């Protein structure tokens, strides 16, 4: 059957003072889909993610996650709905171990289960946490080998894997990734991007923000091209990869 729509943005606009960071942006992500949002530096990609998690307030437009209008959901409660953001670069707790960082990612699920869980976690909670941690370390075996190492000592690629793993610990239904390949050697970047399709098999939806347009489109189903805060194109990733006009004009392909 037709996959349900996980996330819908309708005519979203965001301003920072006089600067129009996003103008009238509409897009959607279906359940189980990987969607890339691509665009140059300053195009507004991070701003769009911030609007979804509630770090910036849209001037106009609608944000709907699983039929729910997000403007009615306080930012701190959005993670509990199943929205997770794996932020760009290092946002880890450097002195905590890999395992402790992953455990931090589980917190929204304990919160969802009620305050008593925070004081005295039930056995099912501990088991769910171990189970999710096992899924994450199966996805990224390099983390399994480094569970007790301080996060601050990880390589760039391993740190990015941990940032994604920590986001997955919250059991999201929508995972948003901000530049997961940023600053990484091409091969490590590819390793991370190629891990993503495995995550969608059970219905997780992914919104992937990337400057590295080609690499992002190669692992995604559809893509949107953002130019100066406005959508310049949207299509299947296969079609976008073939469109030299877009590559030349906006993405620096040659
Ligand atoms: P990059 O790939 O470089 O991170 P981006 O596509 O994510 O770029 P944004 O970070 O969303 O772009 O920024 C869009 C525009 O809004 C930029 O011109 C940026 O300078 C501006 N901007 C972002 N945050 C703020 C802020 N808090 N105050 C004022 N201007 C901002």
């Amino acid at each position: 059957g037709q996959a349900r729509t996980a996330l819908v943005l309708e005519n979203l606009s965001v301003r920072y003072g006089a600067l129009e960071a996003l103008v009238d942006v509409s897009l959607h992500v279906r359940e189980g889909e990987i969607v890339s949002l691509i665009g140059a530096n300053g195009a507004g990609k991070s701003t769009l993610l911030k609007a979804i998690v509630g770090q910036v307030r849209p001037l106009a437009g609608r944000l709907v996650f699983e039929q729910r209008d997000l403007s009615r959901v306080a930012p701190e409660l959005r993670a509990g709905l199943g929205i997770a953001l794996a932020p760009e670069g290092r946002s880890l707790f450097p002195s905590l171990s890999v395992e402790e960082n992953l455990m931090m990612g589980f917190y929204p699920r304990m919160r969802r289960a009620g305050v008593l869980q925070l004081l005295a976690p039930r056995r099912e909670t501990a088991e769910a946490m171990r189970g999710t941690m096992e899924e994450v370390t199966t996805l990224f075996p390099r983390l399994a080998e480094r569970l007790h190492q301080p996060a601050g000592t990880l390589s760039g690629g391993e740190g990015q894997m941990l940032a994604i793993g920590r986001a997955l610990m919250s059991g999201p239904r929508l995972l948003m990734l901000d530049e997961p390949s940023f600053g990484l050697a091409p091969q490590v970047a590819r390793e991370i991007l190629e891990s993503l399709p495995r995550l969608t098999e059970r219905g997780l939806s992914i919104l992937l923000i990337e400057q590295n347009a080609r690499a992002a489109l190669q692992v995604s189903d559809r893509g949107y091209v953002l130019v100066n805060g406005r959508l310049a194109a949207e299509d299947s990733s296969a079609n976008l990869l073939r469109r030299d006009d877009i590559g030349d004009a906006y993405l620096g392909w040659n």
Side-chain angles (χ1 to χ4, degrees):
Q2 186 77 14
R4 292 190 301 168
T5 305
L7 178 76
V8 183
L9 272 62
E10 269 176 29
N11 307 107
L12 198 78
S13 295
V14 175
R15 297 179 78 128
Y16 299 112
L19 181 93
E20 297 185 300
L22 291 176
V23 183
D24 222 13
V25 172
S26 298
L27 61 79
H28 64 275
V29 183
R30 294 191 196 92
E31 216 167 80
E33 207 178 27
I34 303 182
V35 171
S36 287
L37 179 66
I38 54 190
N41 258 314
K45 307 180 298 296
S46 304
T47 297
L48 189 135
L49 291 192
K50 286 178 187 161
I52 296 169
V53 298
Q55 283 174 31
V56 300
R57 231 176 112 94
L59 178 76
R62 248 159 61 90
L63 279 163
V64 181
F65 176 66
E66 295 187 338
Q67 276 68 255
R68 198 189 296 242
D69 185 344
L70 285 183
S71 68
R72 295 164 192 276
V73 183
E76 66 274 19
L77 297 179
R78 295 185 191 180
L81 289 182
I83 298 176
L85 170 62
E88 176 176 13
R90 292 303 178 85
S91 64
L92 304 164
F93 302 104
S95 61
L96 298 187
S97 69
V98 168
E99 185 175 46
E100 287 163 336
N101 270 275
L102 290 175
M103 286 162 70
M104 294 294 202
F106 194 81
Y107 176 80
R109 278 160 85 176
M110 298 178 76
R111 186 169 163 147
R112 213 175 312 166
V115 70
L116 287 174
Q117 288 282 299
L118 297 175
L119 303 173
R122 284 199 225 101
R123 207 183 60 216
E124 305 91 86
T125 310
E127 276 167 14
M129 181 159 76
R130 264 197 301 279
T132 313
M133 201 170 297
E134 217 166 279
E135 287 171 26
V136 168
T137 52
T138 304
L139 182 71
F140 298 122
R142 290 216 246 165
L143 295 182
E145 296 158 18
R146 294 172 171 78
L147 281 178
H148 304 294
Q149 189 174 322
T153 64
L154 295 176
S155 74
E158 292 158 2
Q160 193 55 58
M161 290 173 196
L162 180 54
I164 297 171
R166 192 176 63 180
L168 289 171
M169 288 297 291
S170 68
R173 286 192 302 281
L174 173 68
L175 175 64
M176 302 189 292
L177 301 163
D178 194 353
E179 303 265 0
S181 76
F182 182 80
L184 303 182
Q187 184 154 341
V188 182
R190 198 172 319 123
E191 184 183 339
I192 288 175
L193 291 174
E194 285 175 357
S195 70
L196 301 181
R198 261 172 286 163
L199 295 173
T200 60
E201 283 160 18
R202 278 180 290 163
L204 177 71
S205 312
I206 296 181
L207 180 58
L208 172 62
I209 305 295
E210 268 292 341
Q211 276 196 59
N212 188 346
R214 220 188 266 280
L217 291 173
Q218 274 161 358
V219 299
S220 50
D221 300 297
R222 291 188 301 115
Y224 294 87
V225 181
L226 200 57
V227 178
N228 293 329
R230 294 163 207 261
L231 284 184
E234 61 176 287
D235 209 332
S236 69
S237 298
N239 283 343
L240 287 175
L241 281 166
R242 277 195 292 265
R243 284 181 57 179
D244 290 336
D245 56 326
I246 289 175
D248 293 343
Y250 306 126
L251 306 171
W253 295 354
N254 37 45

